[in-house]
Structure formats: structure tokens, C-alpha cells
Amino acid sequence: MDIRSLEAFTAVAEELSFSSGADRLYISQSAASKYIRHLETELGVCLFDRTHRQIRLTPAGERMLPQAKALLSQYRSLLESVREEGQDKAEWNMR
């Protein structure tokens, strides 16, 4: 499972639209679909019920969404923390 797939899943799940979710991530709709198909294959479950008119989360998708959001939040927090540490160290080395 990779971050891009989790981001695509979360964006599409929150928007309930592949095109709007993809737009939010600045990727193509086909790329978002590919990330989600990969995630579904890896997990062995469907995360979305898809029709021509709408999509909705399956029970597995509903269970996954809050946890995916929490993981993404922790990931972003980690990146921010590491970047701050790197900046602090760079400033210290310049003294």
C-alpha cells in the first residue's frame, strides 16, 4: 500500500467522484482510477460501488476512510517534523 493510493482513495471517497477527487490531487481521472484499482487488488476488496450515475463507498470503503485519513495525517505530520528538524540543523551548522 502506498501513499499515492491512499491519497487517491481518500480524495475520491470524500468527493464521491473520481473526476473531482482527481482534480483535487492534480492528477488525471485515469490515474486516480489506477491507484484505486491497485489498492483494491492489493486488499482483495472493492472499496466503491460504481454505477454510471454515481459512486458510493462499500462497507469496506466506509471502514477504511477514517483510518486512511488518520494515516495520511500522521504521514504529513512526520514530513513536517523531519523538514523542521532538517532546517534547524542547517541553521545550526551555519553558525
Side-chain angles (χ1 to χ4, degrees), residues 21-36:
D23 288 347
R24 194 167 112 183
L25 297 174
Y26 303 103
I27 61 174
S28 69
Q29 183 176 340
S30 63
S33 294
K34 181 179 173 183
Y35 285 127
I36 291 170

Side-chain angles (χ1 to χ4, degrees), residues 63-81:
R63 236 175 296 136
M64 184 167 167
L65 182 58
Q67 294 179 31
K69 289 167 67 171
L71 280 170
L72 289 170
S73 177
Q74 289 175 336
Y75 173 74
R76 291 180 187 114
S77 178
L78 171 67
L79 291 179
E80 185 178 316
S81 174

Side-chain angles (χ1 to χ4, degrees), residues 6-7 38 43 53 65 68 74 90 94:
L6 283 177
E7 288 174 328
H38 175 76
L43 295 172
R53 294 183 183 259
L65 182 58
Q74 289 175 336
M94 293 179 149

